[in-house]
Amino acid sequence: MIRPAHRFPLLSRLLHWTMAVLVLAMLFIGIGMVSTVSSRYAQLVAIHKSIGIVILVLVAIRLINRLLNPPPPLPADLPWWQVVAAKASHWVLYLLMFALPLVGWAMLSAAGAPIVVFGAVHLPPILPHDVAMFAVLRAAHTVLALLLFATFLAHLGAALFHALIRRDEVLPSMV
Amino acid sequence: MPDDETDHAAPDGGTPDTATLLKRNPLQLIAIGVVLAATAGAFAYTGGFLTPQRLSPNHFVDAMQTAAGGPHEGFRRAHAKGICVAGHFVGTLQGRALSSAAVFASGQPVSVSGRLAESAPDPFAKDSSEAVRSMALRLQPAGAPEWRMAINDTPGLHVSTPQAFYDNVVASTPDPATGKPDPAKMQAFLAQHPETVAFLARMKARVLASGFATDSYNSVDGFIFVAPNGARRLVRWTMQAEEPFATLPAAERAAKPANYMFDDLLARVAKGPIKWRMIATLAQPGDPNRAAEVWPANRTHVDMGELTIDHVESEATGNCQDINFDPLTLPPGVAPSDDPIPFARSAVYSVSFRRRTEEAKAPSAVANKSAGARS
Ligand code: HEM
Ligand code: HEM
Ligand code: HEM
C-alpha cells in the first residue's frame, strides 16, 4: 500500500475504528432487540445502554482530539460538492454520535426508569419524570438512529468510492 | 492549499471528473452497490422486517389491541382500569437470608408506590365478577436500586410460553363477521394446550375474594433470589392478604355499581392501612419453572416481609399512571430465571408504554379521588 503523505494521527485512527465498530454494533443491537420477545431482549437492552454511554464518552474525547489535531486535507482535485458532502456528513456523524446516547439517556430519565449500565452503575436522571417528553424523545431516538444508519451507508459508499474508483489517499489516510 | 495538489493527484496526473470515473469503473461501482445493499439488507433482517413471522413485541401489542376491539388510547393495553396506591414495606430477617436485595436488608420501612388494577383492556369496563385483579409495585429503598413487580391474583398463568400467549390472543380475537371469537379456533388452541385447560379448571374452582383488599397476588413467574452468600434459589412469591378473607355471591356482585371495587378500596383505606405479607415459595429441584404449572403445596414458604398500603389515589399525571411496571426492573439480589415469560413481558410492556404515552388520555374511570393518610 502507498504510504499516504497525509494521514490521520494515530489517536484519531484508533478512535475512528473503535467507534466505527461500536456505533455499527449499536445500530444492529438496537434494531434487533426491539424485534424480539425472547430473553435476548433484556440482555441486548442492557448491553445497548452500556455501549451507548461508552460512545458518549468516546465521542467527547474524539471531538477534543479533532480540535487539537485537525484532519489532513482532502485531495485537492476533489470536486467542490464532494468536499462539501464529506465535511457536512462528518459533522452530521458527530452530531448523531452525541445526540443518540444523550436522547437515550434523557428518554429513560423522562420515563422514570432506572438507568443501569455495566450491570451495576446507576446513572442519575438528566430530565424530570415526564411521559409527554418521553414520547417525543422515544420517537426522536428511532428517527435519529435511522438517520445515523443512512448517513453511515453514504459514508461507507464514499469511502469505497475513494478506495476503489478514485484510488486516492482518503482511505489510506484513515488506516 | 495549492501545495497539496501533487500529494493527492493520481499517478498519471490529474483525476478525471466523477462521471468519467464512474463510467470507467463499472465493476467497482457494482461492487460498492452490492456492499451497501447487503449492509442495508442485514440491518432490515436484524430488525425483523424480512421475517414478519418473527414474534416481535409490536406484533404482540397489535394482536392484543385487535382482540380488544381496538386500542383504548392513552391507557395500558392490558390492566387498563386501575388506581394508584402508596405505603411501605418492611423486610424480615429470613428474607434477608434468602435475598441480598436492599428492601430486605435494613428491616427499616422502604417506600412503596404502586397500582391496583383489573386485567381487562377496557379502562371503562364495569367492575366485573370474573376479572383478574392485579397489584403492581415499586419498592424504593433509600439510596439503593428499586424493584418493580406486576403480579396477579390468578393460580398461575394460562400458558407457559410467549408463543402460546400470542396464539391464545389470536384465537380469542372476535371474528369481524359475528363480533364473537370463533369457538373452533379456541377449541383448536385448547386441544394443543392442556396446561390452559388445567388453568381454566383452577380458575373455575377458586373462590373469588370480595375486592382488592381481601385478595392475594402471585408473582406467577419464577425468579432467582440471590442470598448474601451468593446462594441462588428459584422462587415465586405471593402478597398474602392479612385482611380476613371475604367473598361475594355472584348475584350480589352483579348488582353492584360499575366501580364498586375501587369505591370499596377507597372506603377501606380511609379507615386505616391495608396489609399483606410477602411469602416466598422455594422451588425444589425438578419443580417446573413454567408459569402455567403450579408447584406442590408442601414447598417451603418463607415470610419475607410486610407490605402496608395507607394511601389510594386516582391515576394522574406523574403518579402510577406514568410508570412502566417492567417485571425485569430488579435490584441486585433478585434475578430473572429461565422462565421465558418475564422477558416477553418486559419487551411487550415497553411497546405498550411507548404507545400509550404518545396518545392523548381521557380521565380514568375513577378520577379525582383519594383516601388514606400519606405516610
Ligand atoms: C458507524 C461507523 C462510522 C462512523 C460513525 C464514522 C465516522 C467518521 C467521521 C466522523 C470521520 C471524520 C474524521 C474524524 O473526525 O474522525 C470519518 C472519516 C473517515 N471514515 Fe469513517 N466512520 C464510520 C465507519 C467507516 C467505515 C466502515 C469506513 C471504511 C470502509 C470509514 C472510512 C473513513 C475514511 C476513509 C475517513 C477519512 C475521510 C477524510 O479523509 O476526511 N468509516 N469517519
Ligand atoms: C450511538 C448510540 C446509540 C444508537 C446508535 C442507538 C440506536 C438504537 C436503535 C437502532 C434502537 C432501535 C430502534 C427503536 O426502537 O428506536 C434503539 C432503541 C433503544 N435505545 Fe438506543 N441507541 C444509542 C444509544 C442509547 C443509549 C445511551 C441508551 C440509554 C442509556 C439507549 C436506550 C435505548 C432504549 C431504551 C431503546 C428502546 C428499547 C425499547 O423500546 O424496548 N440507546 N437504540
Ligand atoms: C407473555 C405474557 C404477558 C403479556 C404479553 C402481558 C401483557 C401486558 C401488557 C401489554 C400490559 C400493559 C403494560 C403497560 O402499558 O404498562 C400488562 C400489564 C400487566 N400485566 Fe401482563 N402480560 C403477560 C403476563 C403477565 C403475567 C404472568 C402477570 C402476572 C404475574 C402479569 C401481570 C400484569 C400486571 C399486574 C399488569 C399491570 C401493571 C400496571 O398496573 O401497570 N402479566 N401486561
Side-chain angles (χ1 to χ4, degrees):
Chain A
M1 193 187 287
I2 40 163
R3 229 185 96 78
H6 294 286
R7 211 172 176 202
F8 278 85
L10 178 64
L11 180 59
S12 308
R13 281 176 279 141
L14 276 176
L15 282 166
H16 176 270
W17 292 111
T18 313
M19 292 191 68
V21 171
L22 293 180
V23 170
L24 204 55
M26 280 298 277
L27 286 165
F28 278 84
I29 290 171
I31 205 73
M33 71 193 186
V34 297
S35 80
T36 177
V37 296
S38 73
S39 62
R40 283 194 298 273
Y41 170 76
Q43 290 154 1
L44 290 176
V45 171
I47 295 171
H48 187 84
K49 292 179 200 166
S50 305
I51 300 182
I53 295 302
V54 169
I55 288 175
L56 184 58
V57 172
L58 288 179
V59 75
I61 296 172
R62 181 167 175 185
L63 185 66
I64 295 167
N65 171 64
R66 187 179 159 119
L67 297 178
L68 296 178
N69 298 304
L74 286 164
D77 58 354
L78 199 64
W80 68 270
W81 62 271
Q82 290 181 27
V83 174
V84 171
K87 295 199 166 151
S89 63
H90 292 166
W91 286 115
V92 168
L93 287 168
Y94 269 99
L95 199 74
L96 292 173
M97 286 188 287
F98 271 107
L100 267 156
L102 283 174
V103 169
W105 186 353
M107 77 191 188
L108 290 175
S109 308
I115 305 142
V116 191
V117 291
F118 308 115
V121 181
H122 281 250
L123 298 179
I126 53 174
L127 282 182
H129 181 204
D130 174 351
V131 293
M133 179 59 87
F134 165 78
V136 171
L137 293 171
R138 183 66 188 81
H141 199 71
T142 306
V143 171
L144 293 175
L146 294 180
L147 192 63
L148 175 55
F149 185 68
T151 315
F152 163 74
L153 279 186
H155 183 72
L156 176 62
L160 294 176
F161 168 71
H162 282 282
L164 301 178
I165 295 180
R166 278 187 59 99
R167 298 185 200 102
D168 58 20
E169 289 194 335
V170 167
L171 185 56
S173 77
M174 189 47 101
V175 292
Chain B
M1 9 165 212
D3 291 350
D4 287 343
E5 205 132 86
T6 43
D7 294 333
H8 288 290
D12 58 342
T15 313
D17 67 53
T18 305
T20 316
L21 274 172
L22 294 178
K23 243 178 260 151
R24 282 194 206 154
N25 294 282
L27 290 178
Q28 284 83 346
L29 192 59
I30 291 169
I32 294 174
V34 169
V35 170
L36 296 187
T39 312
F43 191 66
Y45 174 79
T46 309
F49 300 103
L50 310 179
T51 49
Q53 73 279 10
R54 187 192 300 169
L55 207 50
S56 79
N58 270 308
H59 289 151
F60 247 91
V61 176
D62 289 344
M64 293 176 76
Q65 286 179 185
T66 310
H72 294 275
E73 299 218 334
F75 289 90
R76 285 167 169 79
R77 277 9 183 199
H79 302 251
K81 188 180 186 183
I83 200 159
C84 301
V85 300
H88 57 267
F89 179 86
V90 181
T92 60
L93 275 172
Q94 307 95 282
R96 208 179 308 173
L98 206 56
S99 163
S100 59
V103 298
F104 306 118
S106 68
Q108 297 299 310
V110 166
S111 161
V112 171
S113 58
R115 186 170 176 270
L116 292 170
E118 290 178 79
S119 69
D122 178 357
F124 301 105
K126 181 179 185 303
D127 284 358
S128 83
S129 42
E130 301 305 326
V132 168
R133 298 175 200 134
S134 65
M135 172 185 271
L137 298 176
R138 271 178 100 175
L139 301 113
Q140 294 174 281
E146 67 177 274
W147 181 357
R148 295 186 186 181
M149 62 177 78
I151 61 183
N152 277 352
D153 72 346
T154 54
L157 189 65
H158 57 300
V159 290
S160 289
T161 65
Q163 182 71 53
F165 190 102
Y166 179 82
D167 293 344
N168 180 265
V169 171
V170 172
S172 40
T173 299
D175 187 322
T178 62
K180 289 203 166 104
D182 177 353
K185 285 196 181 137
M186 188 45 81
Q187 283 311 318
F189 176 86
L190 292 177
Q192 287 184 13
H193 293 277
E195 78 280 16
T196 308
V197 177
F199 170 81
L200 293 175
R202 287 199 300 276
M203 287 292 276
K204 217 171 161 192
R206 75 183 178 143
V207 183
L208 212 64
S210 56
F212 286 118
T214 52
D215 213 348
S216 299
Y217 306 87
N218 305 317
S219 75
V220 175
D221 290 306
F223 289 83
I224 304 290
F225 277 174
V226 187
N229 67 7
R232 298 166 68 87
R233 303 237 22 180
L234 176 62
V235 304
R236 290 172 178 169
W237 65 84
T238 297
M239 288 292 177
Q240 184 80 53
E242 286 185 28
E243 205 84 345
F245 186 81
T247 186
L248 277 177
E252 222 169 292
R253 278 195 309 243
K256 291 261 185 187
N259 304 323
Y260 79 90
M261 295 209 308
F262 294 88
D263 297 338
D264 286 359
L265 178 69
L266 286 156
R268 169 63 191 80
V269 82
K271 285 190 225 139
I274 315 170
K275 296 181 177 186
W276 286 265
R277 290 224 75 90
M278 180 179 182
I279 309 290
T281 303
L282 310 188
Q284 287 198 355
D287 282 345
N289 190 18
R290 290 189 295 275
E293 318 262 341
V294 282
W295 293 341
N298 66 2
R299 294 296 176 260
T300 306
H301 297 293
V302 179
D303 182 351
M304 306 293 290
E306 184 178 58
L307 169 69
T308 302
I309 295 297
D310 50 22
H311 181 78
V312 178
E313 70 182 33
S314 295
E315 292 179 321
T317 302
N319 66 13
C320 77
Q321 166 185 292
D322 292 345
I323 293 295
N324 172 5
F325 290 92
D326 175 346
L328 289 188
T329 299
L330 301 171
V334 186
S337 67
D338 60 6
D339 178 344
I341 296 287
F343 295 102
R345 293 174 65 189
S346 185
V348 172
Y349 292 18
S350 170
V351 169
S352 176
F353 183 71
R354 178 180 185 171
R355 290 192 189 180
R356 65 188 170 88
T357 55
E358 281 171 350
E359 300 158 349
K361 178 185 166 294
S364 302
V366 183
N368 301 316
K369 297 246 167 92
S370 104
R374 211 76 229 225
S375 56

